Amino acid sequence: MGHYNTSESETPALQTFASTYKPIHGYFAAVVCVLGVLANILNIIVLTRKNMISSTNIILTGLAISDGLTMVFYLPFAIQSYVIYGSEPSVERDTIHNARYTLTYAIASVTLHSISIWLTVTLALFRYVFIRFPRIGAQHCNIQRAKTAVCAVVIGITIVCIPNSISYEFRSRREPKQSFNTSETEGMIWFIDVRNGTHADMLLAKFNFWIQAVIVKILPCFLLTMFSVLLVRTMQDVEKRRKKMITKRPVADGESQPSCSSMTSKRSRQSQRTTRMLVTVVILFLLTEIPQGILSLLSGLIEDFFHLIYTPLGDLLDILALINNGINFVLYCFMSKQFRDTFLSIVCGCFPNMSERRKMQTFTTSIY
């Protein structure tokens, strides 16, 4: 967020990439944000239907809200700082009003994204307990506990992010600008930087860095990795037990029939599909969060790493996070039949002609 002038000591390859991608980042980010906000609104609409209410979907709804709000805050920032006035600092672009919104966006985006990360951890924990310890999961991982967990994450992360909210200040410097009569006059460029005027400010900056590095990045990434491995292993164990339970017994005509009911088998397969979908969501989150977490940690431990490495990659990390925030709707549609059917029923309810055609297709398929 601070104004940073490039120098000859920077990595040439990263600077070439940054200068090539930066002019198109604003347009790309704006499209992703618009589509992502719409996708998360659809997620909220579908996940809050009566037939979709469950502890898992309560957490997914909270995740959709935080992801959608993150993109809502990023959209004006991308349009103002990349599209309208270009991606380079200027008097016209970097006004005090833009700096104020940038600070608002920075505080809100860090808080909302941190909430999304910990909601994903909560989701993985609930799902692991539910499939590893079914009785305990049915008793403790219920809808009320899910609502409580979502509220706890929102409140807890908001408190944790308070040091980040008070660690920045407005700064300015004079820059020449072109007036209407083509003579150069001076203007002010406003930007956001970390407070470092006093010893207390420096302590606050270090404290905030370790909070962001450990609580927001390293710890959730470690937990998500651990739960991902446990979920995959538990799914494999459940599948093995299910196959062992499908033992066969002889009947009068010499054939055989499964001893477990088809309804139990159907519920088991549905549970497996849901778990696979959630594991995919978690893995995609890890693919975007682990690199950013490592770079953030190294930025605090290695001098000039932030300016030489992290800054040129900042726009790329942003767009990857935005894509991850908006891709869940596609995953739900492809990997959850219940979500897909509910979404289609909502669409058909809005378009009666489409509903009639769908009923006719369903009736024809049933006859066949």
Side-chain angles (χ1 to χ4, degrees):
M1 293 180 297
H3 180 70
Y4 176 61
N5 293 319
T6 58
S7 64
E8 296 296 332
S9 61
E10 293 177 339
T11 308
L14 290 179
Q15 283 306 310
T16 301
F17 168 78
S19 60
T20 303
Y21 174 70
K22 198 170 188 178
I24 65 173
H25 171 73
Y27 300 92
F28 191 18
V31 173
V32 172
C33 285
V34 171
L35 296 178
V37 170
L38 293 176
N40 280 294
I41 290 175
L42 292 176
N43 285 340
I44 296 169
I45 293 174
V46 175
L47 293 171
T48 53
R49 298 300 93 183
K50 288 184 178 181
N51 65 305
M52 294 290 291
I53 297 298
S54 67
S55 58
T56 296
N57 290 344
I58 290 293
I59 302 174
L60 289 177
T61 301
L63 183 62
I65 294 173
S66 59
D67 285 346
L69 288 177
T70 301
M71 304 178 91
V72 166
F73 277 99
Y74 195 92
L75 181 58
F77 169 77
I79 294 175
Q80 171 75 13
S81 300
Y82 289 88
V83 177
I84 297 178
Y85 297 106
S87 57
E88 297 301 323
S90 66
V91 175
E92 292 75 17
R93 188 193 76 165
D94 299 310
T95 62
I96 182 62
H97 301 292
N98 186 46
R100 287 170 180 165
Y101 182 79
T102 301
L103 181 59
T104 303
Y105 149 73
I107 294 172
S109 64
V110 169
T111 304
L112 291 169
H113 191 62
S114 302
I115 290 172
S116 295
I117 295 174
W118 279 99
L119 284 179
T120 307
V121 174
T122 305
L123 179 67
L125 173 61
F126 266 60
R127 196 61 193 175
Y128 172 70
V129 173
F130 189 81
I131 66 173
R132 181 66 179 85
F133 310 101
R135 294 182 180 178
I136 297 178
Q139 180 180 359
H140 295 284
C141 298
N142 51 39
I143 293 176
Q144 187 58 44
R145 293 289 176 87
K147 292 179 180 179
T148 303
V150 171
C151 293
V153 168
V154 172
I155 296 173
I157 293 301
T158 301
I159 294 174
V160 167
C161 289
I162 288 177
N164 180 71
S165 304
I166 60 177
S167 294
Y168 303 105
E169 65 181 357
F170 297 110
R171 293 186 182 178
S172 63
R173 68 182 182 88
R174 294 191 175 274
E175 274 286 307
K177 68 174 182 177
Q178 285 294 121
S179 64
F180 292 105
N181 60 5
T182 69
S183 62
E184 288 192 352
T185 58
E186 284 190 343
M188 301 296 293
I189 283 185
W190 292 87
F191 56 93
I192 311 298
D193 207 348
V194 179
R195 296 178 183 270
N196 57 5
T198 64
H199 182 66
D201 291 337
M202 297 178 66
L203 289 178
L204 177 63
K206 290 182 179 180
F207 179 67
N208 178 53
F209 164 74
W210 285 109
I211 286 180
Q212 297 296 316
V214 175
I215 298 181
V216 176
K217 295 296 181 183
I218 298 176
L219 181 58
C221 285
F222 170 76
L223 293 175
L224 286 175
T225 303
M226 180 183 68
F227 283 128
S228 297
V229 174
L230 292 175
L231 280 170
V232 172
R233 289 184 177 179
T234 304
M235 281 197 319
Q236 293 173 345
D237 294 339
V238 170
E239 184 64 18
K240 289 178 181 178
R241 289 198 301 269
R242 189 183 70 84
K243 290 180 179 180
K244 289 181 180 180
M245 289 175 62
I246 307 179
T247 57
K248 297 184 178 181
R249 61 185 180 186
V251 293
D253 58 2
E255 296 178 356
S256 59
Q257 65 181 28
S259 60
C260 66
S261 68
S262 59
M263 184 62 69
T264 302
S265 179
K266 182 179 179 180
R267 285 198 299 266
S268 178
R269 289 195 300 269
Q270 183 178 355
S271 177
Q272 290 285 77
R273 286 195 298 267
T274 301
T275 304
R276 290 191 188 97
M277 181 188 73
L278 299 181
V279 169
T280 304
V281 172
V282 170
I283 291 175
L284 288 177
F285 226 100
L286 285 173
L287 290 177
T288 57
E289 290 303 319
I290 288 180
Q292 188 173 359
I294 294 174
L295 292 176
S296 298
L297 181 63
L298 293 178
S299 297
L301 299 177
I302 301 176
E303 186 178 0
D304 293 332
F305 186 90
F306 180 80
H307 294 310
L308 299 180
I309 306 297
Y310 193 98
T311 299
L313 295 175
D315 291 337
L316 176 63
L317 296 174
D318 282 350
I319 199 64
L320 291 177
L322 291 173
I323 292 173
N324 183 62
N325 288 345
I327 202 174
N328 286 345
F329 175 77
V330 179
L331 293 178
Y332 301 159
C333 285
F334 274 98
M335 302 188 68
S336 174
K337 185 178 183 300
Q338 186 184 18
F339 183 94
R340 185 168 58 250
D341 290 344
T342 304
F343 172 68
L344 290 176
S345 67
I346 294 173
V347 173
C348 291
C350 297
F351 301 96
N353 293 335
M354 185 182 297
S355 178
E356 291 299 326
R357 287 197 298 269
R358 186 165 181 263
K359 288 179 180 179
M360 182 61 67
Q361 291 174 355
T362 303
F363 178 70
T364 305
T365 303
S366 300
I367 293 176
Y368 177 77

